[in-house]
Amino acid sequence: QVQLVESGGGLVQPGGSLRLSCAASGRISAINGMAWYRQAPGKQRELVAIITTGGGTDYADSVKGRFTISRDTAKNTMYLQMSGLRPEDTAVYYCQARITIFTFWGQGTQVTVSS
């Protein structure tokens, strides 16, 4: 089993920055992929960014160039550095980890971009 806990969300002005963290515990060594998703009110959960065990990354077009996904293996923590935030980035952000075909989710952290 893997447990994931997100933190770092909050209220930020348009153009501002936030750094989300996802602390993982459990079978960390078995994780073969991690990702950030988000879900805005009235919308489906969408993929924001992914990172592979080899360090490869990919991003949704809507966040490309503004968000950076990273992982600190020593701290068992994944990050999402967000800059140039826009109101449309407002959503609950979720951390996901994958072990083979199984997925694990955090509880989510609210990000609100508003002036």
Side-chain angles (χ1 to χ4, degrees):
Q1 291 279 11
V2 172
Q3 292 184 330
L4 306 168
V5 180
E6 301 98 332
S7 62
L11 176 64
V12 64
Q13 295 182 4
S17 298
L18 281 176
R19 183 181 177 90
L20 305 183
S21 298
C22 173
S25 60
R27 295 183 178 271
I28 305 300
S29 62
I31 295 174
N32 54 21
M34 297 188 74
W36 286 98
Y37 284 74
R38 67 185 181 187
Q39 187 167 23
K43 294 187 176 182
Q44 294 278 10
R45 188 172 300 186
E46 64 176 346
L47 177 66
V48 176
I50 59 174
I51 187 166
T52 68
T53 54
T57 60
D58 201 7
Y59 301 88
D61 288 341
S62 59
V63 308
K64 195 169 298 182
R66 300 187 297 120
F67 291 11
T68 302
I69 187 172
S70 62
R71 189 167 57 212
D72 187 332
T73 303
K75 295 183 177 181
N76 296 327
T77 302
M78 181 177 66
Y79 303 97
L80 185 67
Q81 178 66 51
M82 306 182 294
S83 62
L85 284 164
R86 305 164 180 169
E88 53 263 42
D89 294 319
T90 296
V92 177
Y93 284 72
Y94 297 91
C95 175
Q96 182 207 65
R98 189 181 72 174
I99 299 177
T100 61
I101 64 170
F102 302 99
T103 58
F104 304 86
W105 297 91
Q107 82 289 346
T109 185
Q110 176 71 48
V111 173
T112 302
V113 184
S114 176
S115 60

